[in-house]
Every structure is written in structure tokens, then in C-alpha cells.
């Protein structure tokens, strides 16, 4: 209910590994309940959470939005960058 209070910290770009998604299969993520679709050509950065239990995702043009994704979503993204 109060998930908006649990924002992830925005770290400098050097803390993220950046990729460009190249698959025709789209991957959906959510930021504060709003869907975001990652499609071919989308550039994004990932890093492990501070405690190492989650994965954080950002987009270069909206670097203040830090999205937490689960392992299943991370695997889908990984398949699309090969």
C-alpha cells in the first residue's frame, strides 16, 4: 500500500551496466503501478540492489525512475540483449 515510500536510490551511471534490448519480444515492467514496455531498441541500465536480493533498472532518458525487477523479468531482458 505504501510502496511509493520505498523508493530505490538513484546511483550514478557508472554503477549501472547499460544494454540495448534487441529482441522482437516485448517485456513489460511496472513503475508505481504504471506499465512500461521494453521493446527492440530500448536502452536500459541494470545493477544489483544494495542488499543483492533484487535487480534495479533505469532508462537513460528517465534516470530518476529506479525500477525493481524480479529474476524472471531480468532473465527475459538478458535473452533479448544477446
Amino acid at each position: 500500500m505504501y510502496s511509493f515510500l520505498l523508493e530505490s536510490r538513484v546511483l550514478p551511471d557508472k554503477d549501472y551496466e547499460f544494454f540495448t534490448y534487441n529482441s522482437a519480444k516485448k517485456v513489460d515492467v511496472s513503475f508505481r503501478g504504471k506499465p512500461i514496455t521494453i521493446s527492440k531498441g530500448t536502452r536500459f541500465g541494470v545493477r544489483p540492489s544494495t542488499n543483492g536480493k533484487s535487480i534495479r533498472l533505469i532508462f537513460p532518458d528517465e534516470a530518476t525512475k529506479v525500477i525493481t525487477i524480479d529474476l524472471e523479468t531480468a532473465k527475459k531482458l538478458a535473452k533479448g540483449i544477446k
Side-chain angles (χ1 to χ4, degrees), residues 5 46 61:
L5 296 174
V46 293
D61 56 341

Side-chain angles (χ1 to χ4, degrees), residues 20-77:
T20 301
Y21 191 71
N22 292 312
S23 176
K25 294 181 181 180
K26 296 178 181 180
V27 176
D28 293 319
V29 296
S30 177
F31 181 74
R32 294 186 181 173
K34 295 180 182 175
I36 298 173
T37 300
I38 299 172
S39 56
K40 188 171 186 168
T42 301
R43 185 144 173 81
F44 62 91
V46 293
R47 69 170 174 87
S49 62
T50 329
N51 66 8
K53 294 182 180 179
S54 302
I55 298 165
R56 307 291 192 228
L57 172 77
I58 64 166
F59 301 102
D61 56 341
E62 297 180 273
T64 58
K65 291 182 179 179
V66 180
I67 302 166
T68 301
I69 59 173
D70 58 21
L71 185 58
E72 181 180 330
T73 303
K75 286 180 180 179
K76 288 178 186 177
L77 290 174

Side-chain angles (χ1 to χ4, degrees), residues 3-27:
S3 61
F4 63 90
L5 296 174
L6 303 173
E7 288 188 17
S8 297
R9 190 170 46 138
V10 179
L11 296 179
D13 283 354
K14 68 177 181 63
D15 292 316
Y16 293 86
E17 190 169 351
F18 285 88
F19 301 95
T20 301
Y21 191 71
N22 292 312
S23 176
K25 294 181 181 180
K26 296 178 181 180
V27 176

